[in-house]
C-alpha cells in the first residue's frame, strides 16, 4: 500500500505543520514494520494525543511515546523508536525552517543530506518524503 499525504488527510500547501506531519508519517512508514502498524502509530501520536508540531513531539514524555507506539503494535521497537522520535522533534523544532522553507525553492540535495543525518531516517524514508515534495513543487 502506497501512503500519501492526502491519504492521511495532511495538507501540504505551504504549511510547515503539514510537512512536519508528513515527515513523521514517513519516519514511521519507512521502517521495517507493517504499514498498518506504522499508520496506526501515526494516528495514535498525531490524532490520539495531539503531537501535531515538532515542539509537542519534543516535549512528549518518553513513556507516553512508548505507550502509544506499543498500543499501535510496535512491541519490539517501541523504546528505540520513542528515543528517535524525541530526537526528531527536538531537531525539527530548531532546524526545520532552515531546510524546508516553502516560500522559496527548496534545495532538494541540501534537504536530503539534512534528513539523512537523523537517526532513524534512511533512504526509504527519504524516498517517501521526497516523492511528495517533488509533487508539491511542480
Amino acid at each position: 500500500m502506497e501512503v500519501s499525504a492526502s491519504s492521511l488527510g495532511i495538507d501540504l500547501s505551504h504549511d510547515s505543520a503539514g510537512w512536519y506531519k508528513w515527515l513523521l508519517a514517513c519516519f514511521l512508514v519507512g521502517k521495517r514494520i507493517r504499514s498498518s502498524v506504522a499508520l496506526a502509530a501515526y494516528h495514535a501520536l498525531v490524532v490520539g494525543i495531539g503531537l501535531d508540531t515538532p515542539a509537542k513531539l519534543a516535549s512528549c514524555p518518553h513513556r507516553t511515546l512508548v505507550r502509544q507506539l506499543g498500543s499501535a503494535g510496535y512491541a519490539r521497537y517501541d523504546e528505540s523508536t520513542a528515543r528517535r522520535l524525541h530526537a526528531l522533534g527536538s531537531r525539527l523544532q530548531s532546524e526545520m525552517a532552515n531546510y524546508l522553507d516553502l516560500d522559496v525553492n527548496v534545495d532538494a540535495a541540501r534537504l536530503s543530506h539534512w534528513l539523512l543525518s537523523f537517526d532513524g531516517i534512511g533512504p526509504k524514508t527519504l524516498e517517501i518524503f521526497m516523492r511528495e515534495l517533488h509533487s508539491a513543487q511542480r
Side-chain angles (χ1 to χ4, degrees):
M1 168 173 76
E2 186 170 295
V3 177
S4 68
S6 63
S7 71
L8 294 174
I10 300 171
D11 179 9
L12 297 178
S13 60
H14 296 288
D15 177 21
S16 63
W19 285 103
Y20 154 74
K21 290 176 192 174
W22 177 237
L23 182 56
L24 177 59
C26 293
F27 181 91
L28 295 165
V29 171
K31 302 292 176 266
R32 291 183 176 174
I33 195 160
R34 287 187 326 273
S35 61
S36 60
V37 171
L39 295 175
Y42 171 80
H43 287 290
L45 296 173
V46 174
V47 179
I49 59 173
L51 301 182
D52 57 357
T53 68
K56 289 178 183 177
L57 180 60
S59 66
C60 184
H62 180 79
R63 287 286 355 129
T64 301
L65 290 174
V66 170
R67 188 171 39 256
Q68 293 300 314
L69 291 167
S71 70
Y74 269 78
R76 293 189 341 218
Y77 304 104
D78 54 356
E79 290 283 342
S80 62
T81 302
R83 278 191 302 280
R84 288 180 176 135
L85 283 171
H86 188 262
L88 178 74
S90 296
R91 280 193 59 199
L92 288 177
Q93 182 180 7
S94 64
E95 300 173 16
M96 188 170 164
N98 298 328
Y99 293 91
L100 196 57
D101 181 355
L102 298 171
D103 292 329
V104 297
N105 202 12
V106 174
D107 181 338
R110 183 173 175 255
L111 175 62
S112 295
H113 181 75
W114 175 65
L115 289 173
L116 289 171
S117 74
F118 285 84
D119 186 19
I121 294 183
K124 185 63 178 175
T125 300
L126 179 65
E127 175 190 323
I128 298 165
F129 182 82
M130 295 303 281
R131 181 185 68 225
E132 291 282 341
L133 180 66
H134 291 308
S135 293
Q137 288 188 321
R138 288 188 193 133

